[in-house]
Amino acid sequence: MFYRLLSVVQRQRTSRGWQNWPSARSGASAAEAHSVALPAQAQVVICGGGIMGTSVAYHLSKMGWKDIVLLEQGRLAAGSTRFCAGIISTARHLGIEQKMADYSNKLYQQLEQETGIQTGYIRTGSIFLAQTQDRLISLKRINSRLNVIGIPSEIISPKKVAELHPLLNVHDLAGAMHVPEDAVVSSADVALALASAASQNGVQIYDRTSVVHVMIKKGEVTGVETDKGQIECQYFVNCAGQWAYELGLSNEEPISIPLHACEHFYLLTRPLETPLQSNTPNIVDADGRIYIRNWQGGILSGGFEKTPKPIFTEGKNQLEIHNLQEDWDHFAMPAQGTCPSLHLPQAPCESFSTEPFETLSVTCLLFHSSSPSQSIFFVSLHAKHLIEPLLSSLLRRMPDLETLEIMKLVNCPETFTPDMRCIMGESPLVKGYFVLAGMNSAGLSFGGGAGKYLAEWMVYGYPSENVWELDLKRFGALQSSRTFLRHRVMEVMPLLYELKVPRWDFQTGRQLRTSPLYDRLDAQGARWMEKHGFERPKYFVPPDKDLLALEQSKTFYKPDWFDIVESEVKCCKEAVCVIDMSSFTKFEITSTGDQALEILQYLFSNDLDVPVGHIVHTGMLNEGGGYENDCSIARLNKRSFFMISPTDQQVHSWAWLKKHMQLDSNLLLEDVTWKYTALNLIGPRAVDVLSELSYAPITPDHFPSLFCKEMSVGYANGIRVMSMTHTGEPGFMLYIPIEYALHVYNEVMSVGQKYGIRNAGYYALRSLRIEKFFAFWGQDLNTLTTPLECGRESRVKFEKGVDFIGRDALLQQRQNGVYKRLAMFVLDDHDTDLDLWPWWGEPIYRNGLYAGKTTSSAYSYTLERHVCLGFVHNFSEDTGEEQVVTADFINRGEYEIDIAGQRFQAKARLYPVASLYTHKRRKEDVELSDLHGK
């Protein structure tokens, strides 16, 4: 009988390093374990004894921190870690996820030698199948990225797939990707090995100890209240998995950790007649929504169905995750009335836990065929809604399984996040409160790397890689609604295996934050995307376009919205357009004296001691000189400043500002994002529209570039008008009190008719800003990027008389030189109509050698070429070490951009194309008749 899966092995409990764990001692009774006193204080308390908590403890102890206590409410590795399928996969869409998984793979491989605990590590490799050409393109893009970071992978033919795994049906495949160094491992044993190593390094581990809440005083962690007493501490790490959300809300100051659990299914079979070899490759058939791996000569197969089942929305869960009720209805339904001939358990199998669990009734029928060697399984009609049942997909991929006996259907919770990315980092509200949770069913693959990066964050202040895409501060309180999370994870879980083409959008949790103009713009054909919960227009569909076809068009090639965006860009350059940019983050910093100026001069690299009305583009830097934020600041008066930042910077920027602002009743920071609607009036005729509406001189003499003044627009007073557009094109930003938003918009559109005005969206904005070499934070810039590396030396004022944050690092970098440089690449031999498009993350080659990746790209309708932005590195051919990058190094190279394995020649530039600024059509040359209705 099959009694357990990836559970604690008794011999490991008596291994070196375990004997000192109070409640894990061999032969220790529950009463003895309960009586062990907790330490009164520690530097760090970690909650959670799964793969994440033990990884954090392991890496903190390796980095020299010893005063650490790890608490587990049940038994070590008894949560989701225990039931993990045990697959280590490095093939990920995000570069940071690839690096985490690669590190984890290498760490787990050497753990047994380090600790003496067997982890079951076997290098099997993985094969990712593609049933369609689009899926194959997606795999080719991933393959290109894996190769340049040192992870071996290759695109292979269906014939090669059959050679690597003879049991697979390959007749419907377009190709596949083989990643030979992927592996399988016992996830619980990995967690125990990490815990053992941490224990030997001084970490104290207590199981069967529950955290009640975290004690907080003046915005800082001071201790932890448990069911066995208090522990004073400076740092708390929430690695509680599916309980992380509830634990965050239980604090004295609630912390939002947006994640939600769903049931996840996989089945286990008895060994095949000819048992599978232990190194049989793992299979990911994303188009079939399933994965397959060897399991003791049989198979383990699961997947991510289209109709997942969220659980514990009300907060109900178990101390240890028992194997939930087998739900065959949800896992499988015979396609079109056919029944797979499978030996299935006719009585409940052993639970993975020896303890009882609550059973739920399910409806299914077992029919016996005339042959005593076969039984036929038919599920209830409740499962008719499943479009592509996982069991049917498995049988299509491995037809020989029809005569195989299934031992167990495993059903256990996995946690998912609103954007399919894990959560790590420090809380924006409470200093010393760190989180590592929400692994989206990839906890084993990410566990080692994620634990390392979080430990670096705590010890050194920053992780060694840019982890913004995983940072807790990318979310706000708006994503913590239980209803939102329940609905979103029902979309997220199936998306893990959906084909994700560029510019796809979530469909759930929408219209949460909208501009006052949303209904007006929607009625005029706006198509929407979401950023930080805010609806933003992508583009506007003309009345003659097939809206349904446009919405369903998804491709890696030239998109159907190409002509629409072209007309919007043309209007921005030749007439005037309006883009609703209300989502941008907006702060006001005011003081009774000079406190506001003093703190901003310390926090920002540019000089903000400018005359009233002037606007300054500047970076908010960290100690390493990297960008914590890139923003524009207008000086409203001597004691008041208005700061504009990217949309997703709302929480991060607020936290950074509050962190460095001393408690001073004379200094006020206010988030005014919701108070203002922002309209971007772009184009050479913007000045005409604004002049008519304000009856004020808007000439360059009266309203120079980068200037801000309050004006009347139409009947509305108090409109903050700024002479900038975030695109390099002429025009104005209008920050309008929300009660006036609809009036001002109507007036602008009415007056603008004779100048050819039209609405435009963010796709046009993206094209305009990239062709002008405008880098954006979060896409091109991050916390590891300095102004000197992206050509923004002019925004750093070393001599302004203030020792601003990052100054010393930049002075050192100016002396030593930079090791990467942002460049603009214009593709030469690329056919826009026929070739795959660059989107982001494409490898850059210089003189045939890998030199970096693109960070963003767009089609330039002016240059009639694709333009990519990306960083160029100078890797030594002998050692691979980075060397100084000079302008001469950039200019002397020959470049190629790798798009899904095909390289295209490109010209590198350190400055935008001059003709984009010098070639301006006169206003009187514009054919207004050509602009209406486009």
Side-chain angles (χ1 to χ4, degrees):
M1 296 293 291
F2 187 76
Y3 293 101
R4 68 177 184 85
L5 174 68
L6 308 180
S7 58
V8 178
V9 185
Q10 287 299 323
R11 60 175 172 76
Q12 293 173 346
R13 284 190 174 270
T14 58
S15 298
R16 185 165 57 95
W18 287 75
Q19 62 269 27
N20 296 323
W21 298 356
S23 57
R25 293 175 301 176
S26 178
S29 67
E32 288 173 328
H34 188 75
S35 63
V36 174
L38 298 177
Q41 62 183 24
Q43 183 182 12
V44 182
V45 172
I46 302 170
C47 176
I51 192 80
M52 294 302 150
T54 55
S55 179
V56 173
Y58 171 88
H59 286 97
L60 283 175
S61 66
K62 287 283 186 181
M63 294 175 192
W65 284 18
K66 307 296 183 183
D67 190 10
I68 302 168
V69 172
L70 187 150
L71 305 176
E72 165 56 46
Q73 64 179 347
R75 295 171 297 180
L76 285 174
S80 296
T81 298
R82 180 185 176 194
F83 291 98
C84 173
I87 298 173
I88 307 168
S89 173
T90 54
R92 305 286 168 178
H93 288 279
L94 293 181
I96 186 62
E97 293 181 343
Q98 291 173 351
K99 291 178 180 179
M100 287 196 302
D102 186 44
Y103 175 85
S104 298
N105 194 6
K106 294 171 180 174
L107 172 66
Y108 302 160
Q109 187 177 11
Q110 57 88 32
L111 266 183
E112 184 172 334
Q113 180 179 357
E114 179 182 350
T115 65
I117 296 176
Q118 295 182 6
T119 61
Y121 183 96
I122 301 173
R123 178 163 289 176
T124 60
S126 295
I127 303 174
F128 296 82
L129 308 181
Q131 296 183 27
T132 66
Q133 286 298 324
D134 276 346
R135 178 71 68 179
L136 187 59
I137 290 169
S138 178
L139 293 178
K140 287 179 178 179
R141 289 176 60 85
I142 295 173
N143 180 69
S144 295
R145 299 171 188 173
L146 291 177
N147 287 333
V148 297
I149 64 171
I151 300 176
S153 65
E154 63 175 334
I155 299 299
I156 60 177
S157 66
K159 180 180 179 181
K160 181 66 174 179
V161 173
E163 293 174 5
L164 293 170
H165 202 307
L167 293 180
L168 294 185
N169 171 19
V170 300
H171 294 97
D172 61 343
L173 298 183
M177 180 176 69
H178 182 214
V179 186
E181 293 188 358
D182 280 0
V184 296
V185 72
S186 167
S187 53
D189 293 343
V190 166
L192 299 180
L194 291 169
S196 175
S199 178
Q200 293 176 53
N201 283 331
V203 176
Q204 301 177 68
I205 300 176
Y206 299 85
D207 61 7
R208 301 190 185 281
T209 304
S210 297
V211 173
V212 179
H213 69 270
V214 178
M215 297 180 291
I216 298 167
K217 186 176 181 180
K218 295 182 179 180
E220 297 184 12
V221 169
T222 60
V224 175
E225 179 78 34
T226 78
D227 59 351
K228 296 178 183 176
Q230 293 184 357
I231 306 175
E232 294 182 1
C233 63
Q234 297 171 259
Y235 299 91
F236 176 77
V237 188
N238 184 339
C239 296
Q242 63 163 322
W243 299 280
Y245 176 86
E246 297 289 336
L247 182 57
L249 296 182
S250 71
N251 304 321
E252 295 176 355
E253 185 169 344
I255 294 173
S256 172
I257 305 171
L259 52 79
H260 197 292
C262 281
E263 293 185 1
H264 177 59
F265 300 89
Y266 60 81
L267 58 80
L268 297 160
T269 77
R270 294 197 182 279
L272 279 66
E273 186 174 338
T274 301
L276 291 177
Q277 295 296 311
S278 60
N279 63 349
T280 300
N282 308 319
I283 302 298
V284 177
D285 185 0
D287 295 312
R289 313 195 70 81
I290 58 170
Y291 58 84
I292 307 166
R293 61 156 289 193
N294 166 66
W295 177 258
Q296 297 184 351
I299 69 160
L300 180 158
S301 180
F304 299 97
E305 62 274 19
K306 290 189 175 181
T307 53
K309 297 173 66 175
I311 51 176
F312 306 145
T313 302
E314 298 81 14
K316 291 176 58 178
N317 46 38
Q318 301 152 302
L319 286 181
E320 297 172 15
I321 304 172
H322 304 300
N323 180 29
L324 301 181
Q325 175 63 33
E326 294 177 342
D327 189 349
W328 286 99
D329 275 12
H330 202 74
F331 187 84
M333 184 187 83
Q336 299 185 4
T338 62
C339 298
S341 300
L342 287 167
H343 293 285
L344 295 163
Q346 299 183 43
C349 293
E350 292 284 348
S351 166
F352 290 177
S353 168
T354 57
E355 303 173 19
F357 59 91
E358 183 180 359
T359 59
L360 305 174
S361 62
V362 295
T363 305
C364 64
L365 300 174
L366 276 171
F367 296 100
H368 291 278
S369 66
S370 57
S371 170
S373 65
Q374 291 186 339
S375 62
I376 299 176
F377 178 72
F378 185 77
V379 301
S380 71
L381 297 179
H382 295 166
K384 279 188 176 180
H385 64 285
L386 294 179
I387 299 172
E388 191 172 10
L390 307 182
L391 183 56
S392 297
S393 293
L394 173 61
L395 294 174
R396 285 194 297 271
R397 188 56 57 209
M398 300 182 70
D400 290 349
L401 294 187
E402 290 191 357
T403 59
L404 189 64
E405 182 176 356
I406 294 177
M407 296 176 55
K408 183 70 176 175
L409 176 66
V410 180
N411 175 358
C412 67
E414 290 273 10
T415 54
F416 300 88
T417 63
D419 60 0
M420 296 189 292
R421 301 170 185 171
C422 72
I423 297 173
M424 69 164 60
E426 188 174 16
S427 162
L429 300 176
V430 179
K431 182 180 179 181
Y433 192 114
F434 285 81
V435 178
L436 185 59
M439 292 296 130
N440 299 282
S441 201
L444 179 62
S445 294
F446 296 160
K452 171 179 176 282
Y453 290 144
L454 191 77
E456 290 175 341
W457 205 329
M458 297 173 66
V459 174
Y460 307 123
Y462 300 95
S464 56
E465 296 286 345
N466 170 41
V467 297
W468 166 248
E469 293 167 306
L470 315 178
D471 195 332
L472 171 63
K473 291 184 285 293
R474 73 188 188 271
F475 295 119
L478 58 94
Q479 285 98 353
S480 64
S481 156
R482 292 182 190 269
T483 303
F484 168 83
L485 289 171
R486 181 179 178 88
H487 291 174
R488 175 56 66 86
V489 299
M490 290 177 69
E491 180 183 11
V492 161
M493 188 174 174
L495 276 173
L496 292 177
Y497 274 6
E498 288 284 350
L499 180 65
K500 290 177 280 294
V501 299
R503 311 283 177 89
W504 61 273
D505 300 295
F506 288 108
Q507 301 303 308
T508 55
R510 299 296 296 270
Q511 299 184 33
L512 185 60
R513 303 173 73 194
T514 61
S515 151
L517 306 178
Y518 178 85
D519 290 337
R520 285 294 309 275
L521 300 181
D522 193 60
Q524 295 179 72
R527 296 300 93 196
W528 301 94
M529 63 184 193
E530 174 259 332
K531 187 81 165 182
H532 200 57
F534 219 116
E535 297 293 330
R536 314 201 305 181
K538 296 186 289 188
Y539 50 80
F540 287 77
V541 181
D544 58 341
K545 286 283 186 179
D546 185 340
L547 177 59
L548 182 61
L550 193 65
E551 287 291 284
Q552 294 177 345
S553 173
K554 298 177 180 180
T555 180
F556 291 99
Y557 291 89
K558 179 181 178 179
D560 285 354
W561 43 257
F562 180 87
D563 294 338
I564 295 175
V565 176
E566 179 181 28
S567 63
E568 293 181 1
V569 168
K570 182 180 180 182
C571 189
C572 287
K573 288 180 172 291
E574 299 181 347
V576 57
C577 276
V578 177
I579 302 180
D580 184 350
M581 297 179 62
S582 302
S583 67
F584 270 37
T585 297
K586 299 174 279 288
F587 295 152
E588 286 184 4
I589 304 99
T590 58
S591 60
T592 57
D594 294 332
Q595 298 92 339
L597 176 62
E598 291 170 358
I599 190 64
L600 294 181
Q601 287 284 68
Y602 172 67
L603 292 175
F604 292 91
S605 61
N606 211 333
D607 190 357
L608 292 170
D609 192 4
V610 294
V612 172
H614 283 243
I615 301 170
V616 177
H617 294 316
T618 182
M620 184 166 67
L621 309 181
N622 53 43
E623 294 291 346
Y627 280 98
E628 290 294 334
N629 185 15
D630 182 47
C631 60
S632 302
I633 299 180
R635 189 168 194 177
L636 302 180
N637 57 55
K638 288 187 176 182
R639 299 170 182 175
S640 181
F641 296 82
F642 187 59
M643 173 177 163
I644 304 118
S645 305
T647 302
D648 53 6
Q649 274 279 303
Q650 188 169 12
V651 176
H652 178 71
S653 289
W654 177 270
W656 185 265
L657 290 167
K658 294 294 287 186
K659 174 182 177 180
H660 291 91
M661 285 185 172
Q662 297 179 352
L663 293 178
D664 186 344
S665 59
N666 297 314
L667 185 63
L668 175 65
L669 171 66
E670 184 181 5
D671 186 343
V672 294
T673 301
W674 63 275
K675 287 186 175 182
Y676 293 94
T677 296
L679 293 183
N680 196 348
L681 203 59
I682 305 177
R685 308 309 296 259
V687 63
D688 300 295
V689 175
L690 193 57
S691 294
E692 285 198 31
L693 286 171
S694 63
Y695 290 98
I698 312 293
T699 63
D701 292 336
H702 295 88
F703 210 136
S705 179
L706 294 180
F707 197 74
C708 171
K709 64 170 66 174
E710 284 199 359
M711 300 172 58
S712 297
V713 178
Y715 296 153
N717 289 317
I719 311 301
R720 290 178 183 170
V721 180
M722 301 185 184
S723 51
M724 66 176 191
T725 63
H726 304 284
T727 65
E729 298 294 332
F732 304 89
M733 287 293 305
L734 278 60
Y735 289 92
I736 311 160
I738 57 172
E739 64 266 30
Y740 300 146
L742 194 57
H743 166 75
V744 172
Y745 174 78
N746 289 339
E747 290 294 297
V748 166
M749 294 304 289
S750 176
V751 170
Q753 287 301 308
K754 58 175 164 291
Y755 301 110
I757 199 167
R758 64 172 293 166
N759 292 299
Y762 274 78
Y763 284 10
L765 183 79
R766 183 184 181 88
S767 175
L768 291 167
R769 71 95 177 169
I770 288 177
E771 72 175 15
K772 294 289 180 61
F773 205 171
F774 280 21
F776 267 25
W777 197 96
Q779 298 177 40
D780 312 297
L781 311 178
N782 57 53
T783 56
L784 300 180
T785 305
T786 74
L788 307 189
E789 295 167 343
C790 58
R792 296 190 172 187
E793 296 89 342
S794 63
R795 300 184 183 184
V796 179
K797 298 298 188 292
F798 291 107
E799 310 304 327
K800 67 177 181 177
V802 177
D803 188 15
F804 59 87
I805 297 177
R807 182 176 183 272
D808 291 343
L810 293 182
L811 285 171
Q812 188 70 39
Q813 189 178 57
R814 187 171 67 172
Q815 178 179 341
N816 297 338
V818 298
Y819 288 83
K820 62 181 178 181
R821 184 69 186 266
L822 185 68
M824 172 180 175
F825 299 90
V826 181
L827 271 59
D828 274 347
D829 60 344
H830 184 271
D831 190 317
T832 303
D833 295 318
L834 300 178
D835 290 328
L836 289 167
W837 276 29
W839 296 96
W840 61 273
E842 291 84 12
I844 301 168
Y845 288 86
R846 180 187 181 275
N847 297 345
L849 300 176
Y850 172 67
K853 291 182 183 178
T854 63
T855 54
S856 58
S857 64
Y859 184 80
S860 169
Y861 295 94
T862 308
L863 301 176
E864 298 183 345
R865 295 285 190 277
H866 258 97
V867 177
C868 302
L869 306 185
F871 283 93
V872 175
H873 301 251
N874 182 4
F875 298 111
S876 168
E877 294 186 38
D878 298 326
T879 65
E881 294 182 356
E882 291 196 60
Q883 302 175 112
V884 171
V885 176
T886 63
D888 185 62
F889 178 84
I890 299 285
N891 294 329
R892 291 170 64 90
E894 294 184 0
Y895 294 89
E896 295 172 303
I897 306 297
D898 182 327
I899 306 176
Q902 183 178 357
R903 297 188 189 182
F904 296 89
Q905 294 179 1
K907 285 187 170 60
R909 305 182 64 92
L910 290 173
Y911 304 97
V913 179
S915 62
L916 292 174
Y917 289 94
T918 59
H919 180 64
K920 299 287 186 182
R921 295 183 65 184
R922 294 184 305 159
K923 292 187 294 183
E924 56 267 25
D925 291 339
V926 177
E927 296 292 338
L928 296 180
S929 60
D930 291 339
L931 298 173
H932 287 289
K934 288 190 178 181

